[in-house]
């Protein structure tokens, strides 16, 4: 009998940048209350699922030496969580091709988890709604629901509660990938430490930024980009200041640390400008490598 689901099945999931990342106080569960605006970018990971006798994981591409290939990998955890909930056998081969920087503040692990969730649900023919998948996604990580949904969205709670945001047109980005990654918990801890020692500025309301995103005007958006984690990321990797400065000197409209970093994201006026900024940054020796990307793009999607 022919199966309607093609196997192997590949799901593509996007990277994200936080256009606004307001970090509130620590909650009793140890997470910080967030108000954030996510945008999904054209940089992506591909996750291919193949039915097999046992669960195994194989990772190739960008920065793979730092990606676990044991059951702690978020894609494997996603398949196991879904299997437990819907009483399935998680035995399958998971192949991940990484295009999103590892430990870079761009939700690479979350993208893999989102792709694995959608892929396994499709492979098993589960009759699940987006809400069902969101619920499992949120147990895996704060950014996993957004990796499923993509586009531009306002996130609250830990970042897992999403409201879609209107975005007109296409925004163009240059990404400066760092030589060393940063641990997300370490960056949040550093922010707590900085806040105990003084008062680094806090991002205000994202209302104006959301209006700028809806207008599609990068010049209007540029001065409104805000990230409360930036001070902490710069404190842990002071060299990022030089990267941010170099991007501005190269003609970017604005530069910001992406999420918990250390990737620096530069908003540019056009696709051509993004390439020019990338060329200058690569030549300046202030990062490991550069990528250009655009957003918003959809969330995890089965590749036809
Ligand atoms: O949810 P996720 O696994 O991505 O979070 C990784 C770590 O980042 C958490 O363990 C926590 O230390 C920190 N975090 C936080 N507040 C959030 C999201 C993440 O403190 N809202």
């Amino acid at each position: 009998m022919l199966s309607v689901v093609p196997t192997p099945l590949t799901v593509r999931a996007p990277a994200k940048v936080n256009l606004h990342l307001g970090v509130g106080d620590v909650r009793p569960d140890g997470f910080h209350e967030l108000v954030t605006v996510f945008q999904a970018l054209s940089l992506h990971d591909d996750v291919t699922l193949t039915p097999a006798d046992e669960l195994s994981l194989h990772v190739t591409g960008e920065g793979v030496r730092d990606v676990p290939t044991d059951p702690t990998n978020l894609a494997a955890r996603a398949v196991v969580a879904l299997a437990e909930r819907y009483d399935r056998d998680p035995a399958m081969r998971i192949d991940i091709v990484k295009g999103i920087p590892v430990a870079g503040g761009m939700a690479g692990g979350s993208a893999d988890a989102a792709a694995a969730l959608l892929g396994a649900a499709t492979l098993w023919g589960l009759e699940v709604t987006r809400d069902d998948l969101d619920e499992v996604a949120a147990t895996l990580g704060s950014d996993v629901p957004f990796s499923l949904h993509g586009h531009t969205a306002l996130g609250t709670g830990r970042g897992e509660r999403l409201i879609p945001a209107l975005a007109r047109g296409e925004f163009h980005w240059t990404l400066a990938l760092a030589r060393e990654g940063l641990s997300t918990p370490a960056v949040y801890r550093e922010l707590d430490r900085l806040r105990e020692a003084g008062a680094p500025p806090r991002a205000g309301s994202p209302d104006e930024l959301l209006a700028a995103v809806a207008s599609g005007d990068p010049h209007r958006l540029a001065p409104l980009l805000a990230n409360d984690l930036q001070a902490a990321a710069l404190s842990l990797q002071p060299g990022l200041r030089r990267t941010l400065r170099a991007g501005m000197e190269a003609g970017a409209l604005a530069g910001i640390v992406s999420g918990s970093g250390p990737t620096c994201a530069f908003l540019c006026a056009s696709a051509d400008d993004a390439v020019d900024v990338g060329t200058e940054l690569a030549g300046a020796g202030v990062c490991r490598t550069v990528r250009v990307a655009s957003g918003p793009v959809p969330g995890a999607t089965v590749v036809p």
Side-chain angles (χ1 to χ4, degrees), residues 50-56 79 83 88-93 123-124:
T50 312
D53 294 335
E54 58 181 4
L55 183 61
S56 70
V79 169
R88 300 289 164 138
D89 181 356
M92 64 176 70
R93 177 186 166 114
L123 210 56
W124 296 331

Side-chain angles (χ1 to χ4, degrees), residues 18-291:
N18 301 80
L19 308 178
H20 175 104
L21 180 45
V23 181
D25 296 329
V26 192
R27 313 188 313 192
D29 65 2
F31 285 87
H32 294 72
E33 199 64 34
L34 300 187
V35 175
T36 186
V37 179
F38 296 105
Q39 180 158 93
L41 301 187
S42 55
L43 213 62
H44 60 259
D45 284 1
D46 280 342
V47 177
T48 299
L49 305 181
T50 312
D53 294 335
E54 58 181 4
L55 183 61
S56 70
L57 202 94
H58 310 265
V59 190
T60 52
E62 177 66 47
V64 292
R65 98 192 128 84
D66 298 321
V67 180
T69 52
D70 62 11
T72 63
N73 183 290
L74 217 47
R77 284 175 45 207
V79 169
V80 170
L82 200 69
E84 278 172 2
R85 190 166 166 140
Y86 293 96
D87 200 20
R88 300 289 164 138
D89 181 356
M92 64 176 70
R93 177 186 166 114
I94 305 174
D95 284 282
I96 302 177
V97 180
K98 297 226 48 95
I100 306 174
V102 176
M106 301 201 73
S110 302
D112 299 344
L117 274 184
L118 180 64
T122 308
L123 210 56
W124 296 331
L126 299 182
E127 292 191 4
V128 287
T129 62
R130 277 280 169 175
D131 281 353
D132 295 330
L133 279 189
D134 278 352
E135 225 177 285
V136 185
T139 67
L140 296 163
S142 308
D143 294 338
V144 183
F146 178 73
S147 300
L148 273 175
H149 287 261
H151 301 285
T152 306
L154 177 68
T156 57
R158 285 188 288 130
E160 87 287 15
R161 292 209 305 264
L162 300 174
I163 301 171
L166 187 68
R168 181 167 298 140
E170 199 177 19
F171 293 95
H172 300 281
W173 297 89
T174 304
L175 305 163
L177 279 53
R179 291 187 178 88
E180 296 291 328
L182 273 174
S183 139
T184 303
V187 175
Y188 275 99
R189 273 198 307 275
E190 180 65 5
L191 179 63
D192 292 339
R193 195 188 65 78
L194 292 176
R195 283 180 171 173
E196 267 166 35
R202 290 188 186 227
S205 146
D207 290 354
E208 254 192 90
L209 174 128
L210 285 166
V213 173
S215 78
D217 179 358
H219 293 92
R220 191 171 155 194
L221 176 60
L224 301 171
L225 297 176
N227 180 3
D228 280 351
L229 288 180
Q230 178 158 316
L234 292 178
S235 168
L236 295 174
Q237 283 198 14
L240 294 176
R241 286 180 201 283
R242 221 156 61 85
T243 313
L244 289 171
R245 224 175 15 243
M248 296 307 290
E249 282 164 11
L253 299 177
I256 196 169
V257 169
S258 176
S260 56
T263 307
C264 292
F266 297 94
L267 181 63
C268 298
S270 67
D272 284 349
D273 278 13
V275 172
D276 289 348
V277 169
T279 307
E280 291 254 346
L281 278 171
V286 292
C287 55
R288 179 168 60 80
T289 185
V290 295
R291 297 278 183 275

